[in-house]
Amino acid sequence: MDTSGESIASIVGHLVVIVLFINAALRMLPSVRPFPWPAVVFVVLIGAPSLLQAWVPQITDALARDPQATLRGQWWRILTALGAQDGGLVAAAFNLVVVAVALTLAGWIWGRWLAIALYLLPSIVVNVLAVFVWHAAGGGSSFANDGLMFSVFALALLVGSRDAAHPSPRSTVVVHIFGGVAVAAAIVLVATDDAHGVAMLLGLLLGVVAWWVFRMRAVGAGRPKQQTTSVRTRSAAG
């Protein structure tokens, strides 16, 4: 399984997904948009080592995913691989832009703490697979970016327009189309043995689970049915 993201299919697929994500997310934003501190924090935490490694390559050696080192007890590499971009300085800079955009928009849609969870979980799971199943070294923030963006696509496919109490039919159709095309791109990447497709589909699954949990909590609380199809109130508070 390729974890580098350097194939033509992976590059084109990511560009398509990012464009679809931005256009879908902008149609799903709540009216309340608090300061996106998770985006700022993660850009700094990921950006500092990612950019410095061009001049201090030892940073990559210390942080990157390394199956042999992990098996010898360096388990933290599963997490620190986020800050060890393996595509060079240009790829690192591009990924940082995606980090900022994805965490800002998803934080407004899901709520900031849930967005952080949906960001970290796909990265952890796919990095674990990379170490113990695929035996692939490397690093980067793309698994996390992919998972978070696809959690939003899950909400787009399940809910459509952002305000479920006052849906826009046109907006719902548009985000459904964007979500469907994105899922198709993820399936293509999986079919071409690209690990990023796995991160995308995992993010999609986590988005469905998050939506279902909020729906069940809303039903249990006796809220009106239309409010169970949206996480608007929780996002505003988060």
Side-chain angles (χ1 to χ4, degrees):
M1 184 72 73
D2 179 22
T3 62
S4 69
E6 296 178 355
S7 69
I8 296 299
S10 186
I11 293 172
V12 172
H14 275 98
L15 291 175
V16 169
V17 164
I18 291 167
V19 170
L20 292 173
F21 168 75
I22 293 173
N23 280 278
L26 290 176
R27 290 171 168 81
M28 299 169 65
L29 296 179
S31 57
V32 178
R33 302 170 195 173
F35 181 74
W37 61 260
V40 176
V41 170
F42 276 89
V43 166
V44 173
L45 290 178
I46 295 172
S50 296
L51 298 177
L52 286 174
Q53 68 185 9
W55 296 275
V56 188
Q58 293 85 349
I59 293 176
T60 304
D61 298 333
L63 302 181
R65 185 179 61 246
D66 183 330
Q68 294 303 318
T70 303
L71 292 173
R72 290 195 300 268
Q74 297 182 17
W75 55 267
W76 58 83
R77 290 177 179 270
I78 297 296
L79 296 172
T80 59
L82 266 172
Q85 308 287 354
D86 56 8
L89 188 59
V90 173
F94 178 78
N95 279 337
L96 286 177
V97 173
V98 180
V99 171
V101 171
L103 274 168
T104 296
L105 296 178
W108 285 334
I109 291 169
W110 282 116
R112 290 169 291 186
W113 287 107
L114 181 55
I116 291 173
L118 293 170
Y119 186 74
L120 292 176
L121 280 174
S123 178
I124 293 171
V125 171
V126 179
N127 275 311
V128 167
L129 290 174
V131 168
F132 296 103
V133 179
W134 305 322
H135 308 291
S141 57
S142 54
F143 293 152
N145 294 339
D146 293 340
L148 182 60
M149 289 190 291
F150 269 75
S151 73
V152 172
F153 283 130
L155 193 61
L157 290 169
L158 290 166
V159 176
S161 59
R162 188 64 186 88
D163 187 349
H166 304 90
S168 165
R170 177 178 297 179
S171 177
T172 294
V173 170
V174 170
V175 297
H176 281 170
I177 292 173
F178 289 164
V181 174
V183 172
I187 292 172
V188 169
L189 290 181
V190 172
T192 57
D193 288 331
D194 191 316
H196 295 84
V198 176
M200 292 174 180
L201 294 182
L202 176 59
L204 189 77
L205 175 61
L206 290 173
V208 171
V209 171
W211 169 82
W212 182 83
V213 169
F214 281 118
R215 180 179 173 85
M216 291 301 101
R217 288 176 60 184
V219 171
R223 296 175 188 169
K225 183 176 179 181
Q226 67 267 22
Q227 292 188 14
T228 68
T229 60
S230 173
V231 293
R232 172 173 54 85
T233 55
R234 208 218 67 81
S235 284

